[in-house]
Amino acid sequence: MPGHDEAHDHGLLHDLQQMRALARENIGRRRTLRLLFSASGAALIGACGGGSGSSGDSTATPTPTPTPTPTPTPTPTGTCIADPEETNGPYPADGSNSSNGSVVNVLDDSGIVRTDIRSSFGSSSGTAAGITMELTITVVNVNSSCAALEGYAVYIWHCTRDGLYSLYTVPGENYLRGVGVTDANGQVTFTSIFPGCYSGRYPHIHFEVYPSLARATSYANRVLTSQFAMPADACNTVYATSGYTSSKSNFASISTSSDNVFGDNTSAQVTAMTPAMTGDVTNGYTGTVTVGLAI
């Protein structure tokens, strides 16, 4: 083929020149490819955040792991102490002693379970004079976070405003004595009069606690015998009235620390044994007190 022969018939020198030109062209193409690859790679890296921009643009801020809040340890909601055992005194009428040669036990009498103890019951009809006092007693278990004790029987008794006791120094009456049963809140309330202060004793209220009403028939079944100390401020106010004349002078010469019952107790015990009381001599007084049993 004439055309074909003509394209290759230029001699050795011509062929060498063509080969050098082709080599330069190939080198240029490889260099161009490397440049293009380098540029496109840099662009790709920049788009992925790998460039040399600011840290806000190129590095994601890690989200801190929240520190768990510790669950608080529950704290007791109630505080109470066990009431100390105290004497039931010479006038308990709980079957433990006698008066005029006969055993005195008002606990087994019909009518002793009542709220208002100001008047006598049964064949007696007297009413004790004095400033009205309503006392709510709460019975709790000191060994169970001060849990209320339901169904316990509480027997209370105390002297008249003149310092006398029914069934003993007032033999014809049985007032200022009564039994009540604690409710679901461990509470029982009595309405009475503010007791007087007789010589040699700090003003007080006696009480006994029984495990149930069925067993509140004799002192032998009691789980606690103790006393309440009347608050001094209320005593000073009440004893300034005309009906409590003898109590005023007796109270001036006694204190809980010098009393033969309260004197050997700790200050915490005396505080627990003293009702919190509000009111006045016109409208009467309202008191609350907690009795702690170690069940």
Side-chain angles (χ1 to χ4, degrees):
M1 297 175 58
H4 183 77
D5 292 340
E6 289 178 359
H8 291 83
D9 191 20
H10 298 287
L12 179 61
L13 180 60
H14 177 269
D15 291 339
L16 291 174
Q17 289 175 344
Q18 291 295 320
M19 290 173 65
R20 285 196 295 268
L22 181 60
R24 286 194 299 268
E25 183 179 354
N26 288 337
I27 292 172
R29 287 176 179 173
R30 287 194 297 270
R31 185 177 298 167
T32 299
L33 288 173
R34 284 197 302 268
L35 290 176
L36 288 174
F37 177 80
S38 297
S40 62
L44 180 60
I45 293 173
C48 292
S52 60
S54 66
S55 59
D57 295 333
S58 61
T59 305
T61 303
T63 302
T65 302
T67 302
T69 302
T71 302
T73 302
T75 56
T77 58
T79 56
C80 55
I81 63 174
D83 280 55
E85 185 79 17
E86 303 290 4
T87 177
N88 61 357
Y91 313 116
D94 59 4
S96 63
N97 68 0
S98 301
S99 177
N100 298 321
S102 299
V103 174
V104 183
N105 187 4
V106 75
L107 295 176
D108 59 5
D109 291 349
S110 175
I112 188 62
V113 180
R114 60 212 186 113
T115 299
D116 192 333
I117 66 174
R118 290 175 294 180
S119 297
S120 292
F121 60 92
S123 59
S124 300
S125 59
T127 298
I131 293 174
T132 301
M133 175 192 66
E134 185 177 88
L135 181 64
T136 297
I137 302 167
T138 303
V139 182
V140 301
N141 184 0
V142 299
N143 290 333
S144 182
S145 302
C146 306
L149 292 174
E150 181 180 5
Y152 279 67
V154 180
Y155 167 44
I156 72 167
W157 71 96
H158 63 81
C159 70
T160 67
R161 67 181 182 180
D162 298 316
L164 305 176
Y165 283 87
S166 67
L167 296 173
Y168 293 88
T169 49
V170 187
E173 304 293 345
N174 54 24
Y175 48 48
L176 306 184
R177 300 177 185 274
V179 174
V181 180
T182 59
D183 60 16
N185 297 315
Q187 295 182 333
V188 59
T189 299
F190 296 98
T191 300
S192 189
I193 64 163
F194 199 97
C197 178
Y198 53 87
S199 179
R201 277 302 318 274
Y202 188 86
H204 59 281
I205 296 175
H206 293 270
F207 70 92
E208 292 175 343
V209 181
Y210 292 83
S212 66
L213 181 60
R215 301 197 65 189
T217 56
S218 171
Y219 78 103
N221 298 328
R222 71 198 185 283
V223 294
L224 175 68
T225 300
S226 196
Q227 300 180 26
F228 299 128
M230 303 309 294
D233 288 347
C235 288
N236 283 320
T237 302
V238 171
Y239 297 161
T241 63
S242 58
Y244 289 83
T245 304
S246 62
S247 294
K248 183 177 181 180
S249 58
N250 291 331
F251 184 66
S253 61
I254 194 72
S255 66
T256 54
S257 59
S258 64
D259 185 66
N260 63 4
V261 171
F262 301 118
D264 61 353
N265 293 327
T266 66
S267 58
Q269 287 174 324
V270 173
T271 297
M273 299 164 79
T274 302
M277 197 158 288
T278 59
D280 54 58
V281 297
T282 301
N283 301 299
Y285 285 83
T286 300
T288 58
V289 66
T290 298
V291 172
L293 300 182
I295 302 301

